[in-house]
Amino acid sequence: MAIEYLKRGRSASERDDDDQKVRQSVEATLKDIEARGDAAVRELSEKFDSYSPAAFRLSADEIDALIAELSEQEIADIKFAQEQVRTFAKAQRGTMLDLEIETMPGVILGHKNIPVQSVGCYVPGGKFPMVASAHMSVVTASVAGVPRILACTPPFKGRPNPGVIAAMHFGGAHEIYVLGGIQAIGAMALGTETMQPVDMLVGPGNAFVAEAKRQLFGRVGIDLFAGPTETMVIADETVDAELCATDLLGQAEHGYNSPAVLVTNSRRLAEGTVAEIARILEILPTADTAARSWEDYGEVVLCDTYEEMLAVAEDIASEHVQVMTDRDDWFLDKMTAYGALFLGPRTNVANGDKVIGTNHTLPTRKAGRYTGGLWVGKFLKTHSYQKITTDEAAALVGAYGSRLCILEGFVGHAEQCNIRVRRYGGINVPYGEGARSPDAVE
């Protein structure tokens, strides 16, 4: 058994160097936004987007005017995609039930699923207007019942992009801002004179956006670390090189640092895919971006067995995993670390990105080992509660609690239990001691 890399991307140390530069830049920028608020945000927008409107928040009239620029077909397409996302999100929400159970006579335990009260949705759009990202964050937050949904997107070619704004509006955003990058993330999380801070940030973005979310995590909640797009194709000779190359480059065009990996047990398919990528790059309009991603981050991994292919995939834990083999369901059953799976040659990552209904905001950089992607449950907090309805239960549970607190040395905790044993159980527990067991009382 052997695993051979026919092509490798940049080394981990080289990627770490890039990360360090981003980290330092983001830290300084967030401090500036926190200190100077709107002034810092405006300066950053002018610097990076050459955009400085009278107000970054769009009015209802401005939103309506932008939507009016779209054709009937474009509006219908946006609404169709949102309906698919909404349908799946509603089905997911239906699986999350409130709970109440009487665990013993007089003891009631339960939990409630409560929406996060304010969410900031970031929709990328500086390089490409990411209309679909609005569906994934805004629509899903709306299904969850979030009462305040704020959405930010950068200007596209110097102005708000009508498609993105329409998607935000149709999706249910309550506030829409034309603001991008670190300045948008910082303003939403930290607040400014004209923007109230949110409780949670969601949405994908470039390395700077992902790092800003990472640094702000704890001050606000985040969905996950959704950095530059990653894609993996797991394929055998049931498919051809053109299909594999197309699926790899379709995601590599996202940005200059988007990893694209082929894992296969066919040398012919591996070598053929490399040749097809070179051919397609000659005709792909976004080749400048896709070629750089493939050169620096593309990898081709040749394995002997399907078990080796599975092991490689599990180790990489890619964001998108396209599986095209003679045993797709075997991979579905065995794989544990990924963002989303795309099974069989009839579907593809672009379907998931734009229209099919599953969410496209997914874990990157191996985060699929410990979290899934954005879904309706991310916008809901599960809070537990308890109540005791009888004197007998109060005394019984209190006595156990008293003794367990003393076991740990927490006298103050024990007295919280003891006072209830005395009042509801009529048992005189000496101050600072554990309540006696029923056998000892007898």
Side-chain angles (χ1 to χ4, degrees):
M1 297 177 69
I3 296 173
E4 179 184 353
Y5 279 77
L6 301 188
K7 182 184 183 307
R8 280 191 179 272
R10 300 183 72 193
S11 68
S13 61
E14 290 176 309
R15 299 185 192 194
D16 288 344
D17 289 342
D18 291 342
D19 291 344
Q20 181 61 30
K21 294 173 184 176
V22 170
R23 190 174 301 120
Q24 292 172 348
S25 174
V26 169
E27 183 177 11
T29 301
L30 291 176
K31 286 182 179 178
D32 190 32
I33 293 171
E34 185 169 23
R36 298 195 299 120
D38 283 334
V41 168
R42 185 168 293 278
E43 288 177 15
L44 290 163
S45 180
E46 291 171 346
K47 177 181 179 180
F48 292 110
D49 293 322
S50 301
Y51 187 71
S52 184
F56 290 103
R57 181 176 177 178
L58 294 179
S59 67
D61 288 344
E62 289 172 320
I63 293 169
D64 289 342
L66 287 162
I67 293 173
E69 296 181 28
L70 298 174
S71 68
E72 290 185 6
Q73 185 62 62
E74 288 169 332
I75 291 174
D77 289 344
I78 289 171
K79 290 184 174 181
F80 176 85
Q82 290 197 346
E83 187 55 31
Q84 310 320 303
V85 174
R86 187 176 290 109
T87 297
F88 189 55
K90 284 182 176 179
Q92 289 180 309
R93 178 65 182 90
T95 69
M96 300 185 66
L97 304 177
D98 290 353
L99 169 69
E100 186 171 282
I101 182 173
E102 188 171 22
T103 58
M104 55 188 294
V107 175
I108 308 296
L109 306 181
H111 75 227
K112 294 180 62 179
N113 294 300
I114 301 173
V116 175
Q117 294 299 287
S118 60
V119 170
C121 300
Y122 186 73
V123 178
K127 192 174 183 66
F128 299 103
M130 299 288 287
V131 175
S133 287
H135 316 332
M136 306 301 170
S137 57
V138 177
V139 170
T140 311
S142 181
V143 171
V146 176
R148 178 183 175 232
I149 303 171
L150 186 154
C152 281
T153 190
F156 180 69
K157 296 182 178 180
R159 65 187 297 267
N161 178 267
V164 174
I165 301 305
M168 289 174 163
H169 178 69
F170 295 150
H174 304 109
E175 303 170 31
I176 297 176
Y177 296 80
V178 183
L179 190 63
I182 308 172
Q183 56 270 29
I185 299 299
M188 287 191 288
L190 302 171
T192 70
E193 298 90 328
T194 58
M195 187 187 297
Q196 291 296 310
V198 298
D199 298 321
M200 183 179 184
L201 295 170
V202 301
N206 62 21
F208 291 91
V209 167
E211 176 60 21
K213 288 171 63 180
R214 188 192 70 80
Q215 292 189 20
L216 289 163
F217 177 56
R219 185 157 185 166
V220 294
I222 65 171
D223 48 357
L224 63 157
F225 300 127
T229 290
E230 304 166 350
T231 198
M232 172 186 289
V233 172
I234 299 174
D236 60 17
E237 290 200 345
T238 59
V239 291
D240 59 77
E242 181 186 24
L243 192 61
C244 293
T246 299
D247 285 342
L248 290 166
L249 290 178
Q251 295 301 301
E253 73 177 358
H254 262 287
Y256 69 90
N257 57 350
S258 297
V261 181
L262 172 65
V263 181
T264 182
N265 56 1
S266 166
R267 183 175 293 274
R268 182 175 69 176
L269 181 64
E271 293 174 349
T273 298
V274 171
E276 276 295 300
I277 285 174
R279 180 188 70 80
I280 294 172
L281 284 173
E282 292 295 322
I283 58 175
L284 183 66
T286 55
D288 287 349
T289 301
R292 185 173 174 189
S293 278
W294 178 246
E295 177 65 28
D296 290 346
Y297 293 89
E299 296 190 340
V300 177
V301 188
L302 180 61
C303 302
D304 285 339
T305 68
Y306 289 99
E307 287 75 14
E308 285 181 349
M309 293 164 68
L310 174 65
V312 170
E314 290 282 270
D315 179 62
I316 294 174
S318 184
E319 177 188 14
H320 306 101
V321 181
Q322 174 86 39
V323 182
M324 298 183 289
T325 68
D326 66 3
R327 59 196 71 191
D328 299 342
D329 286 343
W330 182 83
F331 281 95
L332 174 62
D333 181 58
K334 298 292 185 182
M335 288 191 68
T336 65
Y338 55 89
L341 289 181
F342 304 82
L343 300 167
R346 292 180 179 83
T347 192
N348 63 86
V349 176
N351 281 351
D353 278 349
K354 309 302 177 187
V355 69
I356 207 166
T358 55
N359 207 290
H360 80 192
T361 303
L362 301 167
T364 63
R365 299 196 174 191
K366 292 182 177 283
R369 294 170 300 144
Y370 57 83
T371 186
L374 182 61
W375 70 297
V376 69
K378 290 279 188 179
F379 298 102
L380 295 164
K381 307 169 293 159
T382 302
H383 295 274
S384 62
Y385 63 88
Q386 59 167 275
K387 58 184 174 181
I388 295 178
T389 60
T390 67
D391 293 349
E392 293 79 8
L396 177 62
V397 174
Y400 276 99
S402 169
R403 294 191 296 274
L404 290 167
C405 291
I406 292 297
L407 179 65
E408 295 181 353
F410 284 109
V411 176
H413 284 61
E415 279 303 309
Q416 288 181 271
C417 299
N418 286 343
I419 194 171
R420 287 161 175 84
V421 173
R422 298 182 192 113
R423 292 189 179 187
Y424 296 108
I427 300 172
N428 185 21
V429 182
Y431 187 87
E433 296 183 13
R436 290 178 294 171
S437 68
D439 291 341
V441 171
E442 293 175 1

